[in-house]
């Protein structure tokens, strides 16, 4: 009664089931790998945010690259804002996805080096071809704190570094590019300003990074493995049903007519 498994239809169905099982198992392991990666990143971010502030020059220097272990670390710096050489970063959104600018202000340290400071978000106004009105930071020498961030690149952000932009407007926050523009030693990376806080919340402060939803990847992994386990169960259920249907068809088949007596 199982000879039907050699039919074209059942051979194809069986091959599909055989291929689906390892594929779903692999997808489950891939999702588990994503879960572990996201969990590790969340732990790294949490550790960085909880770490005590350190002087910025203990973690970065001109031409130095910010690594994942230094990212989001709280740093301090002493100096003054140089608003005359301030720029804005185009096509940035606020917490409500409104399009505007990030305000990037050079912060001249006491030793003459420059730290790039992202002071927050302001709305776009008009045609976006002229330099927008930017709220001024505190004047004079001060101590700031901020979260250290790596340079932005097209590869990492997906943002095209367009050329020919209006004066004092950029697409990416990149310390090497700003070092050329400022003709000064610029510390690698930049900081997102925490204190001093802006007056009247303008520029709008940039919030803390959120956790990646690692639990979702864990749930997907379990889901794929359950699917893999369900495939042979479903295949066997279909086989049994086919066998039962064939047996029923045999039972109800009318008997062949008896030859008439002569």
């Amino acid at each position: 009664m199982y000879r039907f498994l050699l039919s074209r239809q059942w051979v194809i169905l069986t091959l599909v089931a055989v291929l689906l099982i390892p594929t779903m198992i692999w997808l489950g392991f891939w999702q588990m790998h994503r879960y572990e990666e996201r969990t590790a990143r969340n732990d790294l971010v949490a550790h960085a945010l909880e770490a005590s502030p350190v002087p910025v020059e203990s973690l970065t220097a001109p031409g130095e690259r910010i690594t994942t272990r230094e990212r989001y670390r709280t740093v301090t710096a002493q100096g003054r804002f140089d608003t005359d050489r301030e720029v804005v970063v185009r096509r940035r959104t606020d917490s409500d996805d409104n399009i505007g600018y990030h305000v990037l202000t050079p912060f001249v340290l006491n030793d003459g080096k420059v730290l790039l400071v992202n002071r927050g978000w302001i709305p776009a106004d008009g045609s976006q071809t002229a330099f927008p009105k930017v709220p001024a930071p505190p004047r004079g020498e001060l101590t700031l704190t901020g979260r250290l961030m790596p340079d932005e690149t097209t590869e990492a952000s997906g943002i095209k570094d367009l050329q020919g932009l209006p004066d004092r407007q950029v697409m990416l926050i990149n310390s090497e590019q700003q070092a050329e523009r400022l003709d000064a030693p610029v510390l690698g990376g930049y900081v997102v300003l925490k204190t001093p806080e802006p007056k009247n919340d303008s520029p709008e402060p940039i919030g803390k990074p959120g956790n990646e939803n690692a639990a979702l990847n864990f749930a997907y992994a379990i889901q794929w493995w359950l699917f893999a386990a369900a495939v042979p169960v479903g295949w066997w259920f279909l086989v049994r049903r086919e066998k039962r249907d064939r047996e029923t068809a045999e039972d109800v088949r009318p008997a062949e007519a008896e030859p008439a007596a002569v």
Side-chain angles (χ1 to χ4, degrees):
M1 292 303 297
Y2 289 102
R3 292 181 62 186
F4 63 86
L5 292 175
L6 298 178
S7 67
R8 176 184 177 86
Q9 176 185 354
W10 275 96
V11 168
I12 293 175
L13 181 62
T14 302
L15 288 175
V16 170
V18 169
L19 291 174
L20 281 177
I21 293 171
T23 300
M24 291 178 176
I25 292 174
W26 178 83
L27 286 170
F29 279 112
W30 179 76
Q31 288 289 352
M32 187 59 69
H33 179 64
R34 291 285 294 153
Y35 163 76
E36 293 170 351
E37 281 185 339
R38 286 186 162 186
T39 300
R41 279 200 294 267
N42 288 341
D43 292 342
L44 198 63
V45 171
H47 176 74
L49 293 175
E50 294 169 1
S52 300
V54 296
V56 66
E57 289 188 88
S58 67
L59 296 180
T60 184
E64 192 165 312
R65 178 176 172 269
I66 305 301
T67 68
T68 54
R69 293 197 171 276
E70 289 125 21
R71 186 177 187 176
Y72 300 123
R73 284 291 304 272
T74 300
V75 295
T76 62
Q78 291 183 327
R80 59 179 178 79
F81 283 111
D82 182 1
T83 56
D84 291 338
R85 298 192 289 177
E86 191 170 60
V87 296
V88 292
V89 191
R90 293 170 60 93
R91 298 182 185 176
R92 300 304 166 105
T93 57
D94 66 356
S95 56
D96 296 321
D97 289 332
N98 297 310
I99 297 177
Y101 304 98
H102 279 178
V103 180
L104 187 65
T105 310
F107 189 76
V108 183
L109 307 180
N110 293 335
D111 61 4
K113 298 185 182 70
V114 175
L115 171 66
L116 300 177
V117 178
N118 186 342
R119 295 202 288 121
W121 180 88
I122 60 172
D125 55 353
S127 63
Q128 301 185 35
T129 57
F131 190 75
K133 183 178 180 181
V134 179
R139 295 183 178 277
E141 188 166 324
L142 55 89
T143 299
L144 65 75
T145 62
R147 292 189 299 274
L148 189 60
M149 299 292 292
D151 286 332
E152 295 179 344
T153 63
T154 297
E155 292 74 15
S157 66
I159 301 173
K160 293 183 179 180
D161 192 11
L162 303 177
Q163 304 299 315
L165 297 176
D167 187 39
R168 298 174 65 186
Q169 296 190 25
V170 297
M171 296 299 299
L172 298 168
I173 304 177
N174 187 283
S175 61
E176 292 184 2
Q177 292 179 358
Q178 292 302 308
E180 293 181 8
R181 182 181 71 88
L182 299 171
D183 192 22
V186 177
L187 301 182
Y190 66 99
V191 299
V192 173
L193 185 65
K194 293 175 60 177
T195 62
E197 297 179 358
K199 295 180 180 179
N200 302 319
D201 287 334
S202 185
E204 180 182 310
I206 298 173
K208 292 182 179 180
N211 285 339
E212 297 186 35
N213 192 355
L216 190 62
N217 294 101
F218 185 84
Y220 285 155
I222 300 301
Q223 186 181 62
W224 279 118
W225 289 335
L226 289 175
F227 286 162
V231 169
V233 174
W235 179 86
W236 180 242
F237 174 80
L238 293 175
V239 169
R240 295 292 296 172
R241 189 179 68 177
E242 180 75 9
K243 178 177 179 293
R244 185 172 61 251
D245 291 345
R246 288 173 177 267
E247 288 174 342
T248 302
E250 287 289 335
D251 292 340
V252 300
R253 182 178 298 173
E256 293 183 3
E258 295 289 339
V262 177

